[in-house]
Amino acid sequence: MTEAAELPPAPEQAREVFGDRFADAVRYAELLAETGVQRGLIGPREVPRLWERHLLNCAVLSEAVPEDVTVCDVGSGAGLPGIPLALVRDDLKITLLEPLLRRTNFLSEVVELLGLDHVTVVRGRAEEVMGKLQPVHVVTARAVAPLDRLATWGIPLLRPYGEMLALKGDAAEEELKSAATALAKLGAVGTSILHVGEGIVDPLSTVVKVEVGESPGGVRFAAKRAKAARTGRARRRR
């Protein structure tokens, strides 16, 4: 039996969640099950649970994302949660940020194939693109790193008063407590744990929400951003 054959039919909840983009969601699932496995982007054991554990789990993150904002999906990997989020929310301007070439190649292929005109793929690490990418309203991430480390990458990419939304598992509350000091130093002014996807996923998707004040990343990153902005202006004048 091939990996593609193991992909189960889309559950009824997927039709509800993806609506007019349902066919695109099915195509994306097929790409993950075929090309994604072949290129080592996901493990073959994930194929039977692609819908519940991955696509739907990520798509319901849209419940926590405000309307008409810019989003950067840090460490996007195979496009989770960025691609499902883009499929359900065409009001968002989404950047898929990923350092590995084989992953960005896959992401670019998916974006083109599905006609996701509101999605841009950028190859790079978060710490490398700060000052090059426009600050965003929302940073998203899933299974990238522990919260304290993730925050050092994601929060500096935010606009003032933006927010980071991290999909986490059962240890979300413990991670949030452990990261409290680091988050405060990075300019966080509020944190909460959200549970989204009622009636769609079971268990509910757990999201750690980190809100920042006027200096995302704290004083050190504010100085670094200012320096990057000055360098960018100098290059444009040449």
Side-chain angles (χ1 to χ4, degrees):
M1 183 178 290
T2 65
E3 307 299 352
E6 295 177 6
L7 179 67
E12 198 58 38
Q13 295 95 319
R15 293 183 179 275
E16 174 188 347
V17 171
F18 291 104
D20 293 342
R21 284 283 197 172
F22 172 70
D24 290 328
V26 171
R27 185 65 186 121
Y28 176 50
E30 292 170 347
L31 288 167
L32 287 174
E34 298 165 359
T35 309
V37 170
Q38 291 165 6
R39 298 187 190 178
L41 304 183
I42 66 166
R45 292 183 180 180
E46 296 303 310
V47 173
R49 49 188 183 180
L50 268 178
W51 284 106
E52 288 80 4
R53 181 172 176 141
H54 298 288
L55 273 74
L56 289 174
N57 179 270
C58 289
V60 296
L61 178 63
S62 65
E63 297 176 21
V65 180
E67 293 183 358
D68 300 311
V69 297
T70 53
V71 177
C72 183
D73 188 32
V74 173
S76 196
L80 301 165
I83 296 293
L85 185 61
L87 288 171
V88 298
R89 295 286 299 277
D90 60 9
D91 61 304
L92 305 174
K93 298 293 184 183
I94 300 177
T95 297
L96 306 179
L97 182 61
E98 169 57 46
L100 295 185
L101 180 60
R102 62 188 171 89
R103 293 175 180 171
T104 54
N105 285 343
F106 175 77
L107 293 173
S108 296
E109 291 165 14
V110 171
V111 167
E112 182 176 359
L113 181 65
L114 302 185
L116 298 174
D117 298 333
H118 57 305
V119 177
T120 302
V121 178
V122 173
R123 184 185 175 196
R125 300 182 184 278
E127 57 270 33
E128 297 170 344
V129 302
M130 191 178 65
K132 300 176 184 178
L133 290 182
Q134 286 292 321
V136 296
H137 298 92
V138 177
V139 162
T140 59
R142 176 179 187 255
V144 173
L147 187 60
D148 54 351
R149 198 188 321 158
L150 172 62
T152 66
W153 300 334
I155 287 181
L157 300 177
L158 289 170
R159 294 173 47 150
Y161 307 105
E163 57 192 46
M164 183 175 73
L165 300 172
L167 279 162
K168 288 290 183 179
D170 295 338
E173 188 170 348
E174 182 179 337
E175 276 199 55
L176 188 53
K177 289 179 180 178
S178 299
T181 300
L183 291 175
K185 289 180 180 179
L186 288 165
V189 296
T191 61
S192 55
I193 295 179
L194 312 176
H195 298 284
V196 296
E198 187 171 357
I200 299 169
V201 292
D202 184 18
L204 299 179
S205 297
T206 301
V207 181
V208 174
K209 178 178 179 179
V210 179
E211 300 168 87
V212 300
E214 62 182 16
S215 298
V219 176
R220 181 164 63 93
F221 285 100
K224 191 173 181 180
R225 269 195 304 273
K227 181 179 179 181
R230 288 195 300 271
T231 301
R233 287 195 296 269
R235 286 175 179 169
R236 288 193 292 271
R237 286 196 295 265
R238 291 174 184 171

